[in-house]
Amino acid sequence: MIRKRELWIKKIESAWKTRSIVWLTGVRRVGKTTLVKMFKNALYLNCDLPSVARRLEDPEFFYENVSDDTIIIFDEVHRVKDPSILLKIGADNFPKLKILATGSSTLSATKKFRDSLTGRKRVVFLPPVLWTETKEIFNIKDLDYRLLRGGLPELLLLDEKDNSLYSEWIDSFYARDIQNLFNIRNRKGFIKLFQLLLKQSGGIVNYSKLANLCEISRPTVLSHTSMMEIANAIFFLNPFHGGSRREFTQKSKIYAFDTGFVTFVKGWNNIRAEDRGILWEHLVLDILRVNFDNKNIFYWRDKSGKEIDFILKENDNMVHTIECKISSDTLKTKSLKKFRSIYPKGKNFVLSPNIKEQYKLKKNGIILNFISTKDIANLI
């Protein structure tokens, strides 16, 4: 039996301290519905149901008949006729209520949301199951198992990996999120582009090459990838720069939302030693995004090929490096030394999947802090 996901319950409860509306976002079937049903004294409303839509036609009357100590959950709230008005009335006229609304994308993803509820909401991003949760909540200790299956709870818990369910998810993602929200009709071109991005996850984006491979225009590629980002299916990681003319300044990396879909499109049935590193980066990025503002997470590369997996910006003068290693013994410090010659202020962290206790080493003049994903929240 899966235990309560306390990390997320605490994040949502903390968000309610400053705003009456919490927007819980994450891709389809990432576990939003299961999570919101863990709250006690909650009124759960599935906005896919016509009966619920009718009940919410008069928002003011609806709220007047809910007690102040009730948590109201609007699951898939974008399905109702006017979700902006529904949430705005709740926030402005019934501030004592706690409202939890879920959706696969941002509030501004569809014309239905004429108001993004600025100043009225807090956003909580729910990624696929984190590595710490995989071990502690889902009782799965095998890293390769998590990397191969991915972190959507339903797919993670299957006895055997069922590739048809990954294919079905992609079809559902297009039909229920992309087509519904953005009215995109070129299903074949969109899905081919999405699959190519999954295959290239962790690499630099080349829009012109993607356009040629998908037989669609470069502007269409740009538009489609923007939609995927809004729907939480991909994440753009920008380069950190500012101190050297030899740094990458414009080329973004792209990361898929889930390792299971990366292994699916690549046709992998097991994880080879050379595959673990890039897949482990995905898990580390998830936990970074959970704990820090996306705008402060970068990668670094220069024109000589030196690279650092992640850069975490604390302020203009303080930047931290994060290297992802399956085995902490394989770390080389050439890239770190080059980076620190330009940006001397900050700590250097090494994240490996099986570190139990933090420790420090000094290697080639660089102080390295070896930590687990559980320690990330306390980096700065």
Side-chain angles (χ1 to χ4, degrees):
M1 183 177 178
I2 299 171
R3 289 183 290 164
K4 230 174 178 182
R5 300 182 73 181
E6 294 290 348
L7 168 67
W8 302 104
I9 291 172
K10 288 178 181 177
K11 279 186 176 293
I12 292 168
E13 289 176 341
S14 177
W16 272 325
K17 293 177 182 178
T18 57
R19 297 288 186 271
S20 59
I21 297 175
V22 174
W23 178 260
L24 180 66
T25 185
V27 296
R28 176 167 305 283
R29 287 155 71 174
V30 78
K32 298 187 296 294
T33 298
T34 302
L35 174 61
V36 299
K37 286 184 175 180
M38 291 180 177
F39 283 93
K40 296 179 179 179
N41 194 32
L43 173 60
Y44 173 81
L45 297 166
N46 180 355
C47 297
D48 265 330
L49 299 177
S51 59
V52 171
R54 289 193 296 271
R55 186 176 178 182
L56 300 175
E57 286 178 354
D58 185 341
E60 191 172 2
F61 179 79
F62 166 76
Y63 287 121
E64 286 173 348
N65 287 278
V66 178
S67 60
D68 287 346
D69 60 347
T70 300
I71 296 171
I72 303 175
I73 298 169
F74 297 120
D75 202 3
E76 298 292 310
V77 71
H78 59 277
R79 301 292 178 188
V80 302
K81 184 177 180 180
D82 197 336
S84 291
I85 290 295
L86 173 66
L87 296 175
K88 188 175 180 181
I89 289 174
D92 291 351
N93 299 95
F94 302 89
K96 292 183 179 180
L97 290 174
K98 293 179 179 178
I99 298 172
L100 180 55
T102 79
S104 299
S105 60
T106 66
L107 277 169
S108 58
T110 170
K111 292 179 180 178
K112 274 189 175 183
F113 286 99
R114 291 172 289 182
D115 187 324
S116 63
L117 304 174
T118 302
R120 298 180 176 89
K121 72 178 188 306
R122 287 283 302 275
V123 177
V124 174
F125 166 64
L126 181 66
V129 177
L130 301 172
W131 174 233
T132 49
E133 291 185 298
T134 303
K135 294 185 292 182
E136 296 173 4
I137 306 298
F138 290 77
N139 199 31
I140 296 170
K141 314 296 184 183
D142 186 341
L143 177 64
D144 281 3
Y145 184 100
R146 168 61 179 83
L147 297 176
L148 186 67
R149 300 292 186 93
L152 299 192
E154 175 190 359
L155 303 181
L156 180 64
L157 294 173
L158 288 175
D159 291 336
E160 295 183 7
K161 187 176 183 180
D162 186 344
N163 286 334
S164 68
L165 294 180
Y166 294 82
S167 181
E168 175 192 302
W169 186 97
I170 292 173
D171 287 337
S172 178
F173 169 65
Y174 170 77
R176 289 179 61 85
D177 290 332
I178 300 302
Q179 190 176 32
N180 185 280
L181 292 175
F182 303 105
N183 200 30
I184 299 300
R185 298 300 176 189
N186 183 3
R187 177 185 179 278
K188 183 178 178 181
F190 181 90
I191 289 181
K192 186 173 183 180
L193 174 61
F194 184 46
Q195 291 175 333
L196 283 171
L197 291 172
L198 291 173
K199 286 182 179 179
Q200 296 177 17
S201 185
I204 300 291
V205 185
N206 185 326
Y207 294 106
S208 298
K209 186 176 181 180
L210 288 169
N212 290 332
L213 290 171
C214 296
E215 299 180 333
I216 55 180
S217 70
R218 191 174 187 276
T220 300
V221 169
L222 289 166
S223 174
H224 284 1
T225 53
S226 176
M227 294 169 191
M228 294 176 199
E229 182 183 27
I230 289 171
N232 293 303
I234 61 173
F235 178 74
F236 288 104
L237 186 69
N238 294 322
F240 183 85
H241 59 89
S244 170
R245 289 181 295 177
R246 293 187 57 78
E247 294 173 313
F248 276 29
T249 60
Q250 295 181 335
K251 295 180 179 179
S252 297
K253 278 187 173 185
I254 191 166
Y255 282 87
F257 74 99
D258 183 62
T259 60
F261 285 81
V262 174
T263 64
F264 164 67
V265 296
K266 291 189 175 187
W268 294 348
N269 293 315
N270 53 65
I271 304 295
R272 302 169 300 177
E274 59 266 32
D275 303 326
R276 291 192 185 98
I278 187 63
L279 294 175
W280 173 240
E281 282 183 28
H282 289 68
L283 271 60
V284 173
L285 179 58
D286 280 345
I287 193 70
L288 287 174
R289 293 183 63 196
V290 165
N291 287 283
F292 304 102
D293 193 317
N294 289 343
K295 298 192 294 293
N296 294 328
I297 306 170
F298 306 86
Y299 80 96
W300 181 82
R301 182 183 292 182
D302 71 8
K303 294 177 182 178
S304 69
K306 293 182 178 65
E307 183 174 2
I308 294 173
D309 295 329
F310 300 113
I311 302 295
L312 185 61
K313 182 179 177 181
E314 184 173 349
N315 55 51
D316 288 340
N317 297 315
M318 187 72 65
V319 287
H320 310 293
T321 67
I322 298 171
E323 292 280 48
C324 308
K325 295 295 177 184
I326 296 297
S327 172
S328 56
D329 298 332
T330 62
L331 180 69
K332 298 178 181 179
T333 58
K334 284 185 178 180
S335 294
L336 279 169
K337 287 182 76 72
K338 179 63 177 178
F339 182 83
R340 285 303 177 200
S341 72
I342 307 170
Y343 309 100
K345 293 184 178 180
K347 295 181 179 180
N348 306 301
F349 297 98
V350 182
L351 270 79
S352 293
N354 296 311
I355 291 177
K356 294 181 180 179
E357 293 184 4
Q358 297 186 46
Y359 64 94
K360 292 184 179 182
L361 288 178
K362 192 171 185 179
K363 189 174 182 179
N364 297 326
I366 300 288
I367 297 175
L368 304 170
N369 298 270
F370 292 81
I371 64 171
S372 70
T373 54
K374 206 170 185 179
D375 302 317
I376 286 181
N378 301 315
L379 287 190
I380 61 174

